[in-house]
């Protein structure tokens, strides 16, 4: 069985050479990419990359770490996300790691993304850090289950994973799962149903073992698959096939 991988979350626009990174990935069996926005300023470059590479799809969104003076209107978000190359809304969510004081602006922005995703019937890409309770609660209270999505670069416990799964979300594992001290996350990776799992690099960040500490590349998603296969007692081919199928089931990218 030929291994075909999808990098379900990367930032190609942050790499030194997009063409080289895609070629490097293709040589390792990575055939499809979701290039994820962190600001609306990314949109023109992401559209250009996607136009040049038919197997690169993109998202539209404003990362929760982008400060409150980065305003966004629902109309603008919907207009940008209406293009067929845009297959998801995000990354969005809550990140309380460095947030001090008022959290409302971040929560309001999160709600706005959820509502736009529902209006467009496009899945959400969720970022959460030290905010798991509020993230799950807001997804539930604002009917995010109607569009679903993915908990990207998942680092939480099994209870949180179960709650996300119950809301119709997929769980995506990055290179963090290969880190020696990520024992709780590795336990989660053993339990997540195979038909609800995705893999990603989040490149250029979080390179997996054996490249930890170096710039990450989409081609390294195969190491994530290999590690999870070992954890679960599955073949690498099975992990590659199922996570690729899951990507197409969730995001329904255009052919």
């Amino acid at each position: 069985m030929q291994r075909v991988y999808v990098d379900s979350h990367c930032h190609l626009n942050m790499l030194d050479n997009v063409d080289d990174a895609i070629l490097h990935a293709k040589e390792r069996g990575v055939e499809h990419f979701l290039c994820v926005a962190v600001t609306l300023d990314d949109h023109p470059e992401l559209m250009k990359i996607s136009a040049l590479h038919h197997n690169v799809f993109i998202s539209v969104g404003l990362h929760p770490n982008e400060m409150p003076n980065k305003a966004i209107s629902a109309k603008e978000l919907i207009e940008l996300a209406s293009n067929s190359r845009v297959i998801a809304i995000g990354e969005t969510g809550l990140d309380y790691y460095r947030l001090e004081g008022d959290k409302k602006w971040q929560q309001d922005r999160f709600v706005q993304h959820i509502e736009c995703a529902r209006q467009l019937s496009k899945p959400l890409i969720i970022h959460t850090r030290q905010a798991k309770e509020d993230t799950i609660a807001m997804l539930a209270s604002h009917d995010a289950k109607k569009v679903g999505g993915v908990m990207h670069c998942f680092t939480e416990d099994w209870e949180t994973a179960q709650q996300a799964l119950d809301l119709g979300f997929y769980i995506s594992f990055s290179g963090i799962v290969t880190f020696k001290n990520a024992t709780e996350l590795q336990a989660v990776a053993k339990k997540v149903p195979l038909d609800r799992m995705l893999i990603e690099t989040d490149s250029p960040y979080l390179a997996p073992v054996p490249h930890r500490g170096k710039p990450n590349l989409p081609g390294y998603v195969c190491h994530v698959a290999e590690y999870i296969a070992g954890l679960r007692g599955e073949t690498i081919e099975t992990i590659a096939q199922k996570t690729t199928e899951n990507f197409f089931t969730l995001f329904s990218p255009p052919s």
Side-chain angles (χ1 to χ4, degrees):
M1 184 190 302
Q2 183 182 4
R3 298 175 193 167
V4 175
Y5 301 98
V6 174
D7 187 353
S8 68
H9 190 114
C10 57
H11 303 283
L12 294 171
N13 54 312
M14 298 182 187
L15 300 175
D16 290 338
N17 190 306
V18 174
D19 293 341
D20 286 352
I22 290 176
L23 179 60
H24 173 272
K26 187 176 178 65
E27 290 170 347
R28 286 154 180 79
V30 186
E31 295 287 349
H32 306 279
F33 312 81
L34 178 47
C35 185
V36 177
V38 295
T39 78
L40 299 191
D41 295 339
D42 291 336
H43 187 70
E45 186 174 5
L46 266 56
M47 283 293 293
K48 182 179 179 181
I49 293 170
S50 187
L52 292 172
H53 301 278
H54 75 281
N55 56 346
V56 175
F57 306 99
I58 66 173
S59 73
V60 164
L62 194 58
H63 193 287
N65 283 338
E66 291 296 315
M67 298 309 292
N69 59 345
K70 291 279 188 178
I72 180 174
S73 71
K75 180 181 178 182
E76 181 181 18
L77 184 59
I78 289 170
E79 285 178 353
L80 293 177
S82 294
N83 189 284
S84 64
R85 302 302 296 176
V86 177
I87 62 173
I89 303 299
E91 59 188 281
T92 184
L94 301 173
D95 191 324
Y96 296 165
Y97 179 63
R98 295 186 180 89
L99 185 62
E100 297 180 359
D102 180 33
K103 298 175 181 176
K104 188 175 184 299
W105 66 268
Q106 206 178 84
Q107 295 167 352
D108 288 346
R109 180 189 290 170
F110 186 24
V111 170
Q112 188 177 46
H113 280 70
I114 296 171
E115 291 176 348
C116 289
R118 287 175 51 199
Q119 186 165 334
L120 293 168
S121 297
K122 294 189 177 185
L124 289 150
I125 300 170
I126 304 300
H127 169 108
T128 183
R129 190 175 188 190
Q130 294 192 359
K132 60 185 181 182
E133 294 88 357
D134 284 355
T135 299
I136 294 295
M138 292 182 70
L139 288 172
S141 63
H142 293 278
D143 292 328
K145 190 173 185 177
K146 291 183 177 179
V147 291
V150 57
M151 306 297 287
H152 125 79
C153 194
F154 192 80
T155 56
E156 303 295 345
D157 55 20
W158 174 238
E159 180 183 4
T160 306
Q162 283 183 304
Q163 292 171 333
L165 291 166
D166 288 345
L167 289 170
F169 279 72
Y170 289 64
I171 307 295
S172 181
F173 296 98
S174 71
I176 294 175
V177 77
T178 71
F179 296 176
K180 185 177 180 180
N181 62 350
T183 53
E184 185 175 41
L185 181 61
Q186 291 157 7
V188 174
K190 291 180 182 180
K191 294 181 179 180
V192 169
L194 196 51
D195 63 353
R196 301 286 291 282
M197 179 187 293
L198 294 174
I199 53 176
E200 63 174 91
T201 61
D202 202 15
S203 62
Y205 312 108
L206 304 172
V209 175
H211 303 284
R212 189 175 181 184
K214 301 175 182 178
N216 201 1
L217 292 170
Y220 295 160
V221 76
C222 59
H223 295 300
V224 180
E226 181 179 10
Y227 192 87
I228 291 174
L231 279 176
R232 296 174 64 101
E234 304 273 5
T235 65
I236 304 173
E237 288 80 6
T238 296
I239 299 299
Q241 179 183 355
K242 291 303 297 182
T243 54
T244 296
E245 290 174 356
N246 295 342
F247 175 84
F248 280 87
T249 297
L250 173 61
F251 293 109
S252 302
S255 56

